[in-house]
Structure formats: C-alpha cells, structure tokens
Amino acid sequence: MTSEATETTDASDAAGTAGATETAGSAVTAGAGARATGVATATESPAADTSLRGRSSGVVQAVGRRPADIRRRPWESLAIFVVFAVSYSVLGHWLVVDLHVVGFETLDRWARALMVSTNDPPKLAAVGFDLPPLSVLFLAPFAVVPALTKTLAVVPVVSAVFAGFTMVTVNTMMRRAQVVIAVRLAVLAALGLNPLVVMYASTGGRSFLWLALVLAALGAIFAWYVTADIRFVMVAGVAFAVATLAGYGSLVWFLVSLVLVAVILARLGADGTEVEGTTVGLASPTVYVVALWSAFNLAILGAPFHWVTESSDVGTSGGVSDLSFLEILRGTGELVLDGAPIAIVVLPALLFTGVARRNGFALWLGILLLVTILTPGVAVLVHLTDSPLTMDNALPMLLVSVVGAVWLARSTVQGPGLVAAALAAGLALSIPWTFSSMETFRHQGLERAFHDAITTGETQEGTRTLDGSYVGYGLEQEVADYISDHVDGRGSVLTDNASTYAVVLLTGAPELFLDRVDRSDDDWAEAAEAPADHVDYLLLSTDTARDALSRRYPEAAAGDDLVLEQVFANDRYVLVKVPDDYRYGDQLPDDLDADGNGVLDSEESADPDGALDEGGVGGVVGEGPADSTDSTADEQSGGTP
C-alpha cells in the first residue's frame, strides 16, 4: 500500500486535478492487447501523475506491470512511526500506570490476551465471541511476559503502535498529493496532538486497532486511483478483511469502497470482466473472513450471527436505548462540532468539488465522510446499540475528514500546499476546542478523566465519569496483591472471569484461578457445586447481577455467609475461604449448629435459586464455553467490572 516510486500525471485526471501540466502515461487496452505508451518522467513534481482517466475502454488498469508511483522513503516513514509510537507509549505509561486513566474494556481484552498464552492450560478460547477477535489477538504477543502485563506498562504500547502506523499512512497519502515535507509535518503534528487522537492512542483503547487498518485500506484505494495499479485494490481488500476482525464497524467503509471501485471502473469504460474481477478481488478477503467467523459462531454457539447481535461493538452497556430522532440529530451535530470540526468545512468542499468539477474521487470521499458522520446516529436509531452517541465516534469522522482534505489539496488549481497548510491550521485551532469539550460532552467514556489528568497531573483513581462510572483499578489491585501474597496453588481460586478479569490481569498469574476459560462451563459449574473438591477460595464480585458465581453465593458476596469465611474484601470484591468438604447449599444462620458448622440440605443444594442455566452457567454471559469472557464494560468507559 505504501509502495512509493515516482508520480506521473495523465492529461485529464479523473480526480479532477485542474490546471496541472501532465505527462502522458501508458494505457493498457482491451481487444488484441495493443498498448499505447508514452514517456513518463521520474519526478515528484505536481505535474507528474498517472491516473485512470486517460485509459481507453476495455482494460483500464495496469495489469501485469508496475506503473510509476512516488519514490519510496522508508527512513522517513520509519522516523514518523517511531516518533509517534514512542511518544504515545511514554505518555500512555504516565496516564495508565501513574494516573490510572484506563477503561475496563481495555483491561478485559488484556486479561484475555494474557490467558491465551499463560492460562492453565493456555486457551485460545479466552478470546471469546463478544469482541472482534483480533482486538484481543493483536495483544497476545505483547502479553507473553506476565511481569510486564500485570503492571499495565505494556497496555499503551499496542494502541500507540497502531496510531504510529496511521500517521505513516496519512503521510504517504500527502506525498501522493504532492504536499511538501514541511507542510506534511505540520499536518501530522496538528493531527497527532488532537486530544481524541492522543487519548485513544495512549490509553490502550481498541479504536486505533481497526481504524489504522481502515486508513490503510483507504490509502491503498487512494494509490489505486492515482496510479491505476490494480495491486492496490488487492491490498485494500486484505486490509479491510483484517480490519473487519479488529472492529466490525469497518464493514461500513468496506461496502462504500466496494461500490466506489465498481462505479469508477464502469465510468471509465472497463468491460464487465474487469469490473467483476476487480470487485471480486476487493471483496473476497472480507467475505471470506465474515463467512468463517459466522461459521465459528454457528459451530460453537449455534447462532451464526451472534457476533453481530451480541457483540459489544453493536450492543455496548450502560447507554440510553430510546433517543428521539431530534436527540439523535442533535447528538450527531455535537459530535461533529466538538470532536471533528474540520468536517464542517471538508464535507461540503468534497461534495462541491465532486459535483461541480466532476471529481469522482472527491465525491466518493464526501459520501464516505457523510456515511461516517451518520453511522453512529443510525446505529442508535435502529437499536444496533444501546449506547448514546459517545465522543469516541468522532475519531473516525476526524480521520476521514483528514483524508478528504488531503485529496482536496491534490485537486486544487493553486497547488496542494495552500490547502494542506489550511488543513494544518484547522487541526491546530481545533485542539483547544476539542480538549475543552472533553470535560463537558454529554455522552462520553473516560474523556473527562483524560482531560483532568492532563490539566492537573493528578491520579484519577476513585473519580467518576459523567455517567457515574468508576475510574481507576485500585480496588482490583488490592485484591490482586492479596492473592499474589497468599495464594500459590494452581487453580486455587474459583471465579467468574467475566466479572473479575481485572483482578486476574493484575495478578499476572491466571494459573492461580479456576475460571470459565480453563476447561468448559460444565466443569466450572461442577466446581461451583462442590468447591471444596476443586479449590481453596472463591473470588466474588459484589455485583451479583453480572457475576454468575456471586449470584450462586449471594450471601458470601455480601459478606453475610457464616460458613464461607471472608479473608479479604473491599467495596467491589470478596475473597472467601472454602471449608473442607463444603458443597453448595442455601447457608442461612438457622442452618448452623452450635459450633458454627453448616448443616446441608441435599435437596436445597441442587441450585435452589436457578443461578445456573441449562449449560451450567448463569445467563449473565453468552452461551457455551468459548463465550465465557463476555465484556462488561464499554470501550474507554470506567464502568463496573
């Protein structure tokens, strides 16, 4: 996608590059395979570029050869990547480790990644089905050293790496737009300092894990339109496929891009065979991964579209399920105004350029940006999500707006420098505006915690988000430290990791726990029925609505069970000791003898409250053994684990 040689330009660019003095490129024609060739100069001037416009009907793309493109600059790309990745990692260490600004969804994903390699036994099933699988698997290589994972020092690194890759992609697109390096660096600096970009790049959120891949796909289509090189369509197809398994929202951009490629080829006179072959090449990788993932859902969960209907990508928690159309419209406007204000200028400019100047690529980018803006509101309107229009939805709007502005720079008569400089200025001016909005925006996750951490430099442990969710992981750290100091036997602590994942992560030792990932939900339910036969302790969440084990032992979770001795407790967790020969039963004070020993009723010991469903697990979390780690918190939301 970032292949870079030199650019040459066709006399009448389909993108609408007006007034450029262009050199004739080469054209691949249909029929007997006759080829009209011209001389392409190896320069990087604005007058040099090859496009689809001048190609004759039939085969309009470069097939079997590599047309001229911008010169490769690997050291420049590497320098940009390193600067941004290292900067976000360092800032992220301060925010996450020192100031405790991190979402529980992020901790959940890292706990799963840790269990993939270090659980007892290691389990790929720890990934689960409620999150896009690559949003966890991308973390797994970084979680192989539990000592680094338990300190959370590695948490910001992955998001920082993908953010660095995003900046390289944006720089490459600006190079294809013939923007000079000084202006490119100004744009990258202004974009990189945007508060939304900084927050999601440095606090471990999964936004950049899929947005980086979507931007890579858009960059490949950008390169295809400029060079007519069909290889870039194939690169875009692979990027979209990987992005889909990292974030299901990628499918929206994929579908719009698929239509774009087909329409452009048809307009340029490509025959049906070329249109069909190109679109199939673009679509095949994504169609394949969607079909494969649906097959896994069908085989394991019995529901092929469980990944759509139950995913935290489309059904997050804690939001408002009923917003009126006017409220959705207002929320969408606030997202654009506060999170991506440059879209207010870029969107009409793209649509005008596309229609008035017959600039097909500008029109497509305008449609893509419009779809990006409308998608969060539509998702709420049709109940694909129960979350409101949270501020993280502005990040895709911002990035697509930047891509659109880069194309406008390439298409301008006055040259790309002026528009790119205006883009840099607009991004810079929006920094204080967006940063201030993060403190007061109605629907958000950790944006205010991030704002307060940056402005005060003080830890956010124990603070609350605007919706009342808890910020920080101090209570989880207390339990994890106690377990690390007092428990050393493998599988000694029975717990529902869907609720206690943060504790498991912070111990760095998932082998100490007997959880729902270890073997199966049936085995876990058996251990819950007769814990003394399997474990020494029960780790319970005080939130009995979400913890299947706490629902089974509500008195113990509340600290009222006189048989299960409480050895450690705080506001969110209770660790109890399991007596020898203990079995599950309805242990009330009247059931105790004079010595305080439990008198069990065998009939009551068979799940009197129906805490477990037919599969042996409470209905809090999905279905089947591989779905045992359902997320209970939103992306970048404080939440209650």
Side-chain angles (χ1 to χ4, degrees), residues 286-539:
T286 302
V287 171
Y288 174 77
V289 299
V290 168
L292 185 63
W293 191 231
S294 298
F296 276 123
N297 278 257
L298 176 63
I300 297 175
L301 304 176
F305 300 110
H306 179 276
W307 62 276
V308 176
T309 59
E310 302 298 328
S311 168
S312 62
D313 258 17
V314 295
T316 51
S317 62
V320 267
S321 56
D322 293 313
L323 292 176
S324 69
F325 178 78
L326 290 179
E327 288 174 323
I328 292 174
L329 193 62
R330 175 188 174 189
T332 301
E334 290 174 344
L335 274 177
V336 175
L337 180 62
D338 292 338
I342 65 168
I344 298 173
V345 176
V346 173
L347 177 59
L350 286 171
L351 296 177
F352 174 80
T353 303
V355 175
R357 298 187 180 180
R358 301 179 61 81
N359 187 324
F361 200 70
L363 181 60
W364 171 75
L365 285 174
I367 294 172
L368 184 67
L369 178 55
L370 182 62
V371 169
T372 303
I373 291 171
L374 295 179
T375 295
V378 172
V380 175
L381 186 65
V382 301
H383 299 289
L384 280 177
T385 177
D386 64 357
S387 284
L389 295 161
T390 51
M391 201 170 187
D392 60 297
N393 289 300
L395 185 58
M397 301 176 192
L398 175 66
L399 294 176
V400 176
S401 296
V402 170
V403 175
V406 170
W407 183 257
L408 289 173
R410 184 182 184 277
S411 303
T412 185
V413 176
Q414 291 82 6
L418 182 62
V419 175
L423 171 62
L427 288 170
L429 291 173
S430 70
I431 290 175
W433 173 265
T434 299
F435 187 66
S436 176
S437 299
M438 295 175 80
E439 184 180 18
T440 58
F441 195 82
R442 289 189 303 159
H443 306 304
Q444 58 171 272
L446 289 177
E447 280 80 8
R448 188 170 74 171
F450 170 82
H451 173 278
D452 293 347
I454 294 294
T455 54
T456 67
E458 298 176 355
T459 179
Q460 298 302 296
E461 178 66 44
T463 62
R464 298 281 178 173
T465 63
L466 286 182
D467 66 356
S469 299
Y470 179 88
V471 178
Y473 50 87
L475 298 179
E476 287 73 19
Q477 188 70 66
E478 291 175 1
V479 184
D481 291 343
Y482 183 89
I483 292 175
S484 298
D485 293 339
H486 296 86
V487 179
D488 54 13
R490 302 177 76 86
S492 295
V493 183
L494 181 67
T495 193
D496 178 4
N497 56 285
S499 292
T500 59
Y501 51 82
V503 176
V504 176
L505 171 66
L506 293 169
T507 63
E511 69 275 7
L512 297 177
F513 300 87
L514 176 57
D515 51 56
R516 297 167 66 178
V517 172
D518 286 345
R519 289 184 288 272
S520 72
D521 274 354
D522 288 341
D523 289 342
W524 184 87
E526 181 182 338
E529 175 72 19
D533 296 340
H534 301 272
V535 298
D536 299 320
Y537 301 92
L538 304 181
L539 175 59

Side-chain angles (χ1 to χ4, degrees), residues 221-274:
I221 293 176
F222 191 113
W224 167 76
Y225 196 79
V226 169
T227 66
D229 190 344
I230 195 173
R231 293 179 306 115
F232 288 117
V233 176
M234 305 301 110
V235 171
V238 173
F240 273 128
V242 180
T244 297
L245 293 184
Y248 299 140
S250 307
L251 288 171
V252 174
W253 287 271
F254 161 71
L255 293 174
V256 176
S257 300
L258 188 64
V259 173
L260 159 80
V261 171
V263 169
I264 286 178
L265 289 175
R267 286 185 58 199
L268 295 177
D271 61 24
T273 301
E274 184 179 10

Side-chain angles (χ1 to χ4, degrees), residues 96-119:
V96 173
V97 178
D98 297 335
L99 304 188
H100 291 202
V101 181
V102 63
F104 277 102
E105 188 268 354
T106 299
L107 299 181
D108 184 13
R109 289 187 298 109
W110 277 98
R112 302 184 196 203
L114 180 65
M115 288 190 284
V116 166
S117 58
T118 61
N119 195 52

